[in-house]
């Protein structure tokens, strides 16, 4: 019935319709006090990459998409889309670009009011599409015996419509206004003639946030944090990290800044090689008396953290964290002494022979923590694990590794001894301690023996690990493998190398998308088996899902995230560089990909 209606109505809707002028800025329709605003001043910059045919081929090969496309709802949806294409004489990608290419803003304001303003590049197309949908809605209402409910209500010179009683909308010139409450839409229509102070442009926080998002942003976001924090759920979310030591260590600077901030701004800029996302809050969390001051150590004591370049590096993380300050503030950060914290303190007391963990152990470290993840290089002659796990390591700077180096060495050997004792109780093979040297630095290495194992091409997962300790250049290196420890010793011997300039206090995360994809591909069979067990999929379904996942990762080349203070604000910048791998082969008869 719907398809027949559209095909009959189509030829009658092709005449151009006049469109009166609209407001100059889309935000002129928005109230001065929204909780959240999403603005897309350059939507075409988003459409092109999101509607890319190669990306669509990957997405539509995913089992969830195929299951939906094969469902009655999915088939009906694409039937409607294709009939609309035939009626309008445009493919859906072109129609979408023309309908939303002029820009869009979405605002959420109390009480539970949502307003969307969309600017079409083609006002005639917007009106024709509205007439088609209105015809369908009227046909449905007539069958239900309530055709009058589709009659518009005039507000001044504007007709206000509602297709289902749950939404209201109006077309003004080439702009579509959509709201979830009639009061919200009427207020937007009246706001055109109101003073600038009643509009969003009059809000001081919005002006500051919009400026920080940058003029090249394809999408901007603004959030009124001061009012959002009045919501108990949002405020509770900011506090939950306090109970988790790891979360407090990693995200302290960000969370503390958000607790002090009154607004948040974000901007997404799109380029041929990828996209850049910038986020800023107006809180810098600079109070030196704060328990979170460990996340902002004195730059004089916390030098720049240059990236450590090692062969096959998959990820690198540099955090400006003062571990001594963190643990010294533990009673304020974690007033409830959990069983995990008590267990940790007891074990550290054993490993470090009763030394005070705050003033006699962590006080020997300098602020700054670096984590490195790298692909392992397995010697086939020695054996290759069936499941290959990347190597990982932590690097800390020490004030003086002289005598304290022996304290660390003793603690390391005690920890390995405890591991062997525990594994022995479970009748599992233990680690064999060995010594080595790399670039003048002694290594303490622990390995599993391959004695009695005939199949060296499919070793158990434990052979991914050869825990190694090294103390090069007044640094502590704790690595899951001997190979990565040796590479890090060499990297530290080379000096700072390429990295942030002196005094740079940004936390940084770097990811190698191609390397991560290769590491996952090396474990494809294990991932397929895990998918079959965890999701209950057949092998064919599991292979399709894992293949699509690897294809999606294949679009990512490099990821670089930086977080730090910017004067009176705290900001983050995410750079994602993309590449164009070959599109996957068609998924088969189940594929119902959009054209």
């Amino acid at each position: 019935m719907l398809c027949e209606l559209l095909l009959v109505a189509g030829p009658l809707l092709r005449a151009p319709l006049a469109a009166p002028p609209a407001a100059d800025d889309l935000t002129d329709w928005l109230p001065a006090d929204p909780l959240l605003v999403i603005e897309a001043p350059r939507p075409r910059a988003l459409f092109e990459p999101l509607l890319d045919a190669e990306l669509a081929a990957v997405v539509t090969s995913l089992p969830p998409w195929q299951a939906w496309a094969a469902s009655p709802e999915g088939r009906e949806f694409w039937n409607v889309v294709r009939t609309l294409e035939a009626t309008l004489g445009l493919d859906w990608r072109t129609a979408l670009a023309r309908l939303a290419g002029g820009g869009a803003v979405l605002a959420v304001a109390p009480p539970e009011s949502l307003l969307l303003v969309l600017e079409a590049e083609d006002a005639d197309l917007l009106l024709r599409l509205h007439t088609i949908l209105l015809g369908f809605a009227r046909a449905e209402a007539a069958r239900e015996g309530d055709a009058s409910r589709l009659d518009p209500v005039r507000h001044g010179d504007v007709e206000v419509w509602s297709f289902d009683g749950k939404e209201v909308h109006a077309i003004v010139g080439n702009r579509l206004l959509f709201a979830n409450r009639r009061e919200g839409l009427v207020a937007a229509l009246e706001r055109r003639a109101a003073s600038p102070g009643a509009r969003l442009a009059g809000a001081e926080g919005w002006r500051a946030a919009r400026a920080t998002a940058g003029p090249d942003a394809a999408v901007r976001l603004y959030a009124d944090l001061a009012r959002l924090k009045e919501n108990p759920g949002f405020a509770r979310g900011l506090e939950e990290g306090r109970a988790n030591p790891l979360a407090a260590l990693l995200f302290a600077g960000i969370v503390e800044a958000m607790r002090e901030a009154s607004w948040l701004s974000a901007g997404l800029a799109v380029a041929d090689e990828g996209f850049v996302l910038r986020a800023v809050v107006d809180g810098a969390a600079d109070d030196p008396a704060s328990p979170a001051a460990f996340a902002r150590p004195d730059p004089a004591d916390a030098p720049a953290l240059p990236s450590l370049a090692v062969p096959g590096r998959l990820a690198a993380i540099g955090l400006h964290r003062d571990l001594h300050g963190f643990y010294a503030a533990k009673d304020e950060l974690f007033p409830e002494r959990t069983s995990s914290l008590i267990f940790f303190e007891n074990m550290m007391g054993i490993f470090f022979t009763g030394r005070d963990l705050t003033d006699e152990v962590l006080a020997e470290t300098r602020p700054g923590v670096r984590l490195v993840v790298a692909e392992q290089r397995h010697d086939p002659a020695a054996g290759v694990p069936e499941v290959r796990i990347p190597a990982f390591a932590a690097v800390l700077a020490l004030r003086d590794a002289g005598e304290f180096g022996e304290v660390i060495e003793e603690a390391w050997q005690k920890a390995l001894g405890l591991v062997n004792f525990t594994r022995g109780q479970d009748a599992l093979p233990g680690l064999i301690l060995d010594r080595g040297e790399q670039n003048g630095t002694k290594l303490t290495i622990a390995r599993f023996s391959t004695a009695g194992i005939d199949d060296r091409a499919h070793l158990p997962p434990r052979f991914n690990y050869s825990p190694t300790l090294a103390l090069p250049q007044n640094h502590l290196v704790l690595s899951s493998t001997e190979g990565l420890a040796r590479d890090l010793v060499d990297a530290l011997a080379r000096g700072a190398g390429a990295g942030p300039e002196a005094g740079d206090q940004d936390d940084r995360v770097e990811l190698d998308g191609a390397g991560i994809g290769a590491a996952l591909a090396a474990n494809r069979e294990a991932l397929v088996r895990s998918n079959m067990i965890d999701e209950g999929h057949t092998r064919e379904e599991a292979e399709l899902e894992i293949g699509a996942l690897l294809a999606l990762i294949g679009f990512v080349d490099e990821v670089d995230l930086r977080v730090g203070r910017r004067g009176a604000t705290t900001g983050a910048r995410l750079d994602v560089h993309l590449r164009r791998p070959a599109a996957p082969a068609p998924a088969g008869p189940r594929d119902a990909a959009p054209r």
Side-chain angles (χ1 to χ4, degrees):
M1 176 64 183
L2 172 60
C3 297
E4 294 174 355
L5 174 64
L6 294 177
L7 288 173
V8 171
L12 304 177
L13 301 170
R14 297 185 186 277
L17 299 175
D24 292 333
D25 193 310
L26 292 183
T27 60
D28 287 346
W29 302 94
L30 306 186
D33 58 346
L35 288 177
L36 180 72
V37 174
I38 300 175
E39 178 189 21
R42 298 172 53 237
R44 275 191 174 272
L46 289 177
F47 292 157
E48 292 179 3
L50 291 178
L51 300 180
D52 181 85
E54 292 181 10
L55 179 60
V58 174
V59 172
T60 55
S61 68
L62 292 170
W65 175 279
Q66 294 195 342
W68 173 79
S71 68
E73 295 81 4
R75 290 195 298 270
E76 174 65 16
F77 175 82
W78 285 114
N79 284 338
V80 171
V81 169
R82 285 160 185 153
T83 305
L84 284 170
E85 288 179 326
T87 306
L88 296 172
L90 294 171
D91 67 274
W92 69 269
R93 287 182 173 87
T94 302
L96 178 60
R98 291 188 185 179
L99 287 170
V105 291
L106 173 69
V108 179
E112 299 181 359
S113 179
L114 181 147
L115 175 66
L116 171 67
V117 183
L118 183 150
E119 183 176 278
E121 292 181 345
D122 187 338
D124 172 63
L125 179 63
L126 175 62
L127 291 170
R128 289 166 57 202
L129 179 61
H130 183 264
T131 302
I132 292 173
L133 298 178
L134 176 62
F136 174 61
R138 279 178 168 162
E140 290 289 325
R143 281 198 296 270
E144 297 172 1
D146 188 17
S148 62
R149 68 186 169 108
L150 271 298
D151 293 341
V153 176
R154 297 195 67 84
H155 185 81
D157 59 344
V158 177
E159 292 182 332
V160 177
W161 303 82
S162 178
F163 286 169
D164 59 7
K166 300 177 182 178
E167 56 79 28
V168 289
H169 64 271
I171 296 177
V172 181
N174 64 334
R175 290 174 177 174
L176 169 67
L177 280 69
F178 174 95
N180 64 334
R181 300 172 68 244
R182 185 174 297 275
E183 296 87 342
L185 182 62
V186 170
L189 294 172
E190 294 177 346
R191 202 170 287 121
R192 284 187 300 165
S195 64
R199 305 172 189 169
L200 179 61
E204 181 178 351
W206 161 253
R207 292 198 303 270
R210 197 182 201 187
T212 64
D216 59 340
V219 177
R220 302 186 188 105
L221 178 144
Y222 162 73
D224 187 338
L225 293 180
R227 292 168 61 208
L228 281 173
K229 284 183 285 191
E230 296 174 1
N231 180 284
F234 186 85
R236 186 166 53 250
L238 291 178
E239 297 296 327
E240 285 179 351
R242 293 184 185 272
N244 186 324
L246 183 59
L249 180 64
L250 294 177
F251 307 115
I254 301 172
V255 174
E256 287 297 318
M258 290 191 66
R259 291 193 184 109
E260 300 297 324
S262 59
W263 54 259
L264 176 145
S265 170
L268 178 69
V270 181
D272 291 339
E273 68 278 6
F275 62 86
V276 177
L277 175 64
R278 299 182 184 91
V280 176
V281 296
D282 65 333
D286 280 326
D287 184 3
S290 167
F294 69 88
R296 303 175 302 279
D298 184 350
D301 196 35
L305 296 176
S307 298
L308 294 172
V310 297
R313 194 184 75 176
L314 305 179
I317 302 174
L319 302 174
H320 288 273
R321 299 291 184 270
D322 180 0
L323 297 182
H324 171 256
F326 172 69
Y327 204 72
K330 67 180 185 301
D331 292 336
E332 295 179 75
L333 291 168
F334 317 109
E336 295 184 9
R337 295 183 58 78
T338 64
S339 58
S340 298
L341 182 58
I342 294 172
F343 176 79
F344 172 78
E345 291 178 331
N346 289 340
M347 296 308 299
M348 291 300 102
I350 294 173
F351 295 156
F352 288 98
T353 321
R355 290 179 174 83
D356 184 87
L357 187 58
T358 304
D359 297 326
E360 295 182 278
V361 177
L362 295 177
E364 296 290 338
T365 66
R366 293 175 65 90
V369 179
R370 281 180 283 186
L371 307 174
V372 179
V373 182
E375 182 183 4
Q376 286 208 58
R377 302 182 301 278
H378 296 282
D379 181 0
V384 179
E386 185 174 13
V387 177
R388 304 179 191 180
I389 300 173
F392 51 90
V395 180
L396 304 177
L398 302 176
R399 299 192 182 279
D400 186 351
E403 292 185 1
F404 187 65
E406 293 188 357
V407 175
I408 295 176
E409 182 76 40
E410 178 187 350
W412 178 248
Q413 294 194 24
K414 285 180 181 178
L416 293 175
L418 179 61
V419 170
N420 277 342
F421 178 78
T422 303
R423 290 181 64 85
Q425 286 183 316
D426 295 331
L428 297 173
L431 292 159
I432 300 173
L433 268 64
D434 195 4
R435 299 286 287 183
E437 185 174 319
Q438 181 71 19
N439 211 345
T441 296
K442 293 182 179 179
L443 309 178
T444 301
I445 308 160
R447 301 189 184 92
F448 288 103
S449 173
T450 57
I453 299 179
D454 296 327
D455 186 1
R456 299 291 180 89
H458 300 86
L459 293 176
R462 68 176 181 272
F463 286 94
N464 283 286
Y465 305 103
S466 52
T468 302
L469 167 73
L471 296 164
Q473 310 289 322
N474 273 338
H475 284 80
L476 166 63
V477 175
L478 292 175
S479 174
S480 69
T481 69
E482 176 188 355
L484 180 55
R486 291 182 180 276
D487 289 340
L488 287 170
V489 169
D490 290 342
L492 291 166
R494 289 192 296 268
E501 297 180 1
D504 187 343
Q505 297 295 297
D506 281 0
D507 294 336
R508 189 176 185 185
V509 179
E510 300 170 90
L511 304 177
D512 184 324
I516 293 173
L520 291 172
N523 292 292
R524 185 184 185 114
E525 179 58 29
L527 293 172
V528 168
R529 290 200 302 267
S530 176
N531 184 278
M532 292 171 63
I533 294 172
D534 296 342
E535 305 295 334
H537 288 160
T538 65
R539 170 166 283 277
E540 179 185 2
E541 292 172 333
E543 288 179 342
L544 184 63
E545 186 163 314
I546 297 303
L549 171 65
L550 295 177
L552 283 174
I553 295 175
F555 280 93
V556 180
D557 187 14
E558 296 178 346
V559 177
D560 189 349
L561 171 65
R562 293 172 179 260
V563 181
R565 288 175 288 177
R566 305 287 186 273
T569 65
T570 298
R573 175 183 171 119
L574 175 66
D575 289 81
V576 179
H577 295 272
L578 303 176
R579 59 197 181 97
R580 289 181 174 274
R590 293 181 60 208
D591 186 14
R595 292 172 287 119

